[in-house]
Amino acid sequence: MTPPPPSSSMMPPTRLIDLAALDAFDLLDEYEAEIYTRSFHHAPASVQEEIRRIQAELVTDAALLCTDEPPADLRRRVLKHVNSAIEKDGSRYAPLATIGAGGRDDRNGRSSRLPVMPTLYVWRAATFVLAGVAVLLLLMMTLTQQHANQVTQWALNNLTSDQLQRYIGPDFRTFFFNHGTRHHVFLNPDDPNDTAQAVLLINEQNGQAFLIVDHMPNFSNGAEYTVSVVLGDDGDHRINLHRFEFQGNLVSLQLDVSHVPDIAAARWEITGPDGYVLVA
Amino acid sequence: MMGQDDWTLMQQVARGDEAAVEELYDRFATLVFKVARQLLPSKSEAEDSVQEIFIRLWQTADRYDPRRAKLVTWVMLIARRHLIDQLRRQSIRPAIGGYEDDWSNTPATDQPTSQPETAEHNERLMKRLEDLPELQRTVIERTYLQGYTLREVSEQLEAPLGTIKSALSRGLGRLRDNASSDWVG
């Protein structure tokens, strides 16, 4: 479990409750909202429940809302609009809809409601058809939806390693085709609402690792993120391996981990410029 | 698990399940419409926005975490974000006290059938705002009713951000307390 941020940066329960209204109405600035969310998840369960209750009451308080009622025909229009968008999204990925259970829904004459949303499940199923590229599966599990769409489409059209190299970076091919034991480590945020993701591919034989990072929260331009490895039962031995900037695009790095003892047991972290652990 | 039903519902919405989308609409459309109507200048714009908001709810459904908030809070947050973005794109802000103004200028077909009752309720709300200390009233009007950020209001009023935040929190609390006392008995 990721240890909480420094106590001086955490909000106490009283402050969390004071700011509950601002949080509910999305009036906290980005940085404060992140601190609020982290503090919320480390608050006692009773405080979390109190905040959830306060916020639900606030957003539904009739005194704070106008009294207009939606017209009766709005339901039909909205559902038609949403279903149309869902169907359009599904047809864009139509080739993938043949993977797994198929069939038509006779009731409405439309395609069955497969997971036409590009969910992780669909991408994983697609990658199994690619022999010898197990790492592609790992990449897809960390890519954004948009990226996963592109890579999976390429995969189904017999993506070459050259294409992967172009997309991920020139070092990827060199790393992937080097001999050596490779294991992967997924790094995830503590908060499931966070979209930050990272995966490490570690070649223990040559002491190199390949890191792919996506969806880190955007801090100011030029802000640096730090990749670290934490050793020891108490986590008291930290080795900072690399600093990088994240500009909103996929980031891939090759790291020298030859000097890291017992790499297989090491714990990895990426921290933001404020020192908070973003993924671990 | 807390919120299991709501989490399951949103997972189904994320998968595009028709019945789930219908349930989501039936539970929250009225609230979403009310906040849209509150922030947007016309009923037709509010209706259009409701459509877009429910698209957005489908697109973000898999991100809903019942540990973080009840589903109604999440839905209203998504709705407000969309509406504020819309206001910013259009560079418009709703007029304060716009309910009565809009109704006096809208065609008869757009007016609610229970207009006298609704107008009375809004008079009470606007009166309640007038009863607040000036700073609290101004901050609520500009953030909650007009969609400005706290930072923008801080700059507009040349007041510290912390002061603005406190004014908003206290003002909302007083509005709710006053509303409760109005409706007792």
Side-chain angles (χ1 to χ4, degrees):
Chain A
M1 177 181 165
T2 304
S7 59
S8 59
S9 300
M10 290 281 274
M11 291 182 186
T14 49
R15 185 76 177 139
L16 287 174
I17 291 173
D18 281 345
L19 295 180
L22 274 65
D23 178 59
F25 293 131
D26 201 27
L27 288 169
L28 297 174
D29 63 37
E30 187 175 345
Y31 182 69
E32 198 168 28
E34 288 221 24
I35 297 177
Y36 189 95
T37 296
R38 288 178 193 280
S39 303
F40 176 92
H41 285 297
H42 288 101
S46 59
V47 173
Q48 293 181 1
E49 178 55 33
E50 175 71 2
I51 291 170
R52 282 192 295 266
R53 183 190 66 77
I54 289 171
Q55 293 184 332
E57 284 181 5
L58 266 169
V59 300
T60 57
D61 192 336
L64 301 175
L65 293 167
C66 80
T67 56
D68 271 14
E69 297 286 328
D73 69 333
L74 184 61
R75 185 179 193 274
R76 176 187 55 79
R77 285 186 276 145
V78 168
L79 293 179
K80 182 180 174 186
H81 192 65
V82 174
N83 287 331
S84 173
I86 292 171
E87 297 239 3
K88 195 181 296 183
D89 193 64
S91 65
R92 186 153 62 96
Y93 304 116
L96 298 178
T98 62
I99 296 171
R104 302 193 68 80
D105 182 342
D106 292 332
R107 180 166 58 90
N108 294 319
R110 291 190 297 258
S111 303
S112 64
R113 288 273 179 226
L114 293 171
V116 293
M117 283 287 290
T119 61
L120 280 177
Y121 177 81
V122 175
W123 305 129
R124 289 177 192 174
T127 61
F128 281 116
V129 303
L130 302 171
V133 285
V135 67
L136 185 60
L137 169 65
L138 308 179
L139 294 175
M140 287 183 186
M141 290 175 70
T142 66
L143 292 177
T144 61
Q145 205 171 72
Q146 179 188 1
H147 295 159
N149 292 351
Q150 290 174 315
V151 178
T152 302
Q153 284 297 326
W154 293 340
L156 292 177
N157 294 321
N158 297 314
L159 171 72
T160 65
S161 61
D162 287 335
Q163 287 170 305
L164 265 180
Q165 170 184 310
R166 262 206 308 280
Y167 191 76
I168 300 295
D171 296 327
F172 175 74
R173 178 181 183 164
T174 306
F175 179 86
F176 182 71
F177 287 104
N178 275 346
H179 295 295
T181 304
R182 285 188 292 271
H183 74 267
H184 61 275
V185 178
F186 288 110
L187 306 181
N188 295 299
D190 226 12
D191 182 348
N193 283 325
D194 286 348
T195 56
Q197 298 179 92
V199 65
L200 271 156
L201 306 169
I202 302 169
N203 187 329
E204 293 173 49
Q205 191 170 71
N206 67 6
Q208 299 294 305
F210 202 87
L211 171 69
I212 301 169
V213 177
D214 199 8
H215 264 158
M216 290 286 137
N218 281 324
F219 291 92
S220 56
N221 282 340
E224 289 188 324
Y225 300 76
T226 305
V227 184
S228 307
V229 63
V230 181
L231 303 166
D233 291 337
D234 298 328
D236 52 359
H237 183 202
R238 174 184 293 274
I239 303 174
N240 292 334
L241 291 172
H242 195 83
R243 286 201 162 87
F244 65 94
E245 289 182 20
F246 187 82
Q247 305 282 353
N249 300 316
L250 205 68
V251 169
S252 60
L253 304 164
Q254 187 150 350
L255 305 170
D256 181 0
V257 296
S258 57
H259 57 292
V260 178
D262 197 13
I263 187 93
R267 185 160 60 84
W268 294 82
E269 290 179 352
I270 296 178
T271 50
D274 53 5
Y276 287 164
V277 175
L278 298 170
V279 291
Chain B
M1 180 191 291
M2 84 179 82
Q4 175 71 54
D5 290 343
D6 284 348
W7 184 82
T8 303
L9 172 66
M10 294 308 279
Q11 290 298 304
Q12 291 168 341
V13 169
R15 290 196 295 271
D17 182 275
E18 260 188 75
V21 174
E22 287 178 15
E23 181 179 338
L24 188 69
Y25 179 92
D26 292 337
R27 285 176 60 182
F28 301 114
T30 299
L31 283 170
V32 170
F33 177 81
K34 285 175 184 290
V35 72
R37 187 66 185 93
Q38 191 169 51
L39 287 170
L40 295 176
S42 75
K43 211 165 184 177
S44 59
E45 283 186 77
E47 292 171 15
D48 289 344
S49 282
V50 170
Q51 295 185 52
E52 296 308 316
I53 288 166
F54 273 87
I55 294 278
R56 191 78 189 121
L57 286 169
W58 158 60
Q59 291 171 335
T60 57
D62 58 351
R63 292 184 218 162
Y64 169 62
D65 179 5
R67 294 171 299 176
R68 181 63 174 89
K70 291 186 193 271
L71 182 55
V72 67
T73 308
W74 167 264
V75 168
M76 293 296 271
L77 179 71
I78 298 293
R80 270 195 76 87
R81 277 186 184 160
H82 175 85
L83 293 163
I84 300 299
D85 283 348
Q86 188 173 339
L87 289 176
R88 287 176 187 278
R89 280 197 305 274
Q90 296 174 353
S91 300
I92 58 172
R93 301 288 172 176
I96 298 303
Y99 314 103
E100 296 141 331
D101 293 342
D102 280 348
W103 288 342
S104 64
N105 293 327
T106 50
T109 51
D110 280 357
Q111 291 176 354
T113 54
S114 58
Q115 184 183 357
E117 180 187 337
T118 309
E120 180 188 301
H121 177 90
N122 281 316
E123 280 180 17
R124 246 186 290 168
L125 174 60
M126 299 313 295
K127 174 78 169 56
R128 204 167 292 129
L129 278 174
E130 289 172 11
D131 289 342
L132 295 180
E134 183 179 349
L135 181 60
Q136 291 178 12
R137 180 184 74 244
T138 303
V139 173
I140 289 177
E141 285 173 352
R142 296 194 186 193
T143 57
Y144 184 72
L145 296 180
Q146 292 186 299
Y148 288 108
T149 65
L150 290 171
R151 198 168 294 276
E152 286 170 333
V153 176
S154 168
E155 289 167 7
Q156 290 165 3
L157 301 181
E158 295 180 350
L161 186 57
T163 303
I164 301 300
K165 285 182 188 174
S166 295
L168 179 64
S169 288
R170 292 194 187 118
L172 286 174
R174 284 182 72 154
L175 268 184
R176 295 181 63 228
D177 290 342
N178 292 347
S180 301
S181 62
D182 278 353
W183 293 337
V184 168

